[in-house]
Amino acid sequence: MASQSSSSVPPAIVAFATWVVPGSGYWLIGQRGRALTVGITIMILFILGLLIGGVRVVDVPPGVLSSPVNAVSQKPWFVGQILAGPITLISSSIGKGTEYYVSHARLNEIGTLYTAVAGMLNLLAIIDAAYRAGHNGAAR
């Protein structure tokens, strides 16, 4: 049996760590098994999305920093994708190259869906890990 976790890490740090590397917030609060399960699941789901639809399924909307509302209205799925962490920005910068083609039809949609669902699952992990950090491991 795993020992009861006692976290002295602030919930904000746990939440940020979970966004940067999915599952790492659980690791910080001492829940190693959960950290590996969540982290590996989210990363595999994101990578499968890239393999199915190609690296160009992750596309940063133009003007995301200057006009975020307009950018999100153009590509709302990016909100889900960016929640998966910096891997989204890395994938987007790699996909900007001319040697990559945009997939079409269902493959593009499925790849986009997988990457967005990975981000939404990471959002749930962020909320849960931060809650557990604030409540000393909370209900296991």
Side-chain angles (χ1 to χ4, degrees):
M1 283 285 177
S3 62
Q4 180 69 18
S5 64
S6 58
S7 173
S8 62
V9 182
I13 300 297
V14 170
F16 181 71
T18 305
W19 177 75
V20 172
V21 178
S24 63
Y26 291 120
W27 193 275
L28 289 175
I29 62 174
Q31 297 179 1
R32 309 288 195 242
R34 183 169 287 150
L36 291 173
T37 303
V38 168
I40 290 170
T41 301
I42 291 170
M43 293 308 290
I44 286 176
L45 190 58
F46 191 87
I47 291 169
L48 280 175
L50 293 178
L51 291 174
I52 291 169
V55 74
R56 302 270 315 253
V57 297
V58 179
D59 188 19
V60 177
V64 73
L65 296 178
S66 61
S67 176
V69 174
N70 187 29
V72 168
S73 68
Q74 290 176 9
K75 298 184 179 190
W77 55 88
F78 184 71
V79 174
Q81 291 174 334
I82 193 65
L83 291 171
I87 190 171
T88 303
L89 299 174
I90 294 167
S91 300
S92 177
S93 66
I94 291 171
K96 296 270 186 229
T98 57
E99 64 273 7
Y100 297 105
Y101 298 101
V102 178
S103 58
H104 296 287
R106 293 283 183 219
L107 288 179
N108 190 4
E109 294 173 9
I110 293 170
T112 301
L113 179 66
Y114 272 48
T115 55
V117 168
M120 298 306 287
L121 284 174
N122 199 33
L123 175 63
L124 292 175
I126 290 168
I127 294 168
D128 185 50
Y131 177 81
R132 289 171 187 266
H135 292 85
N136 287 330
R140 306 189 103 204

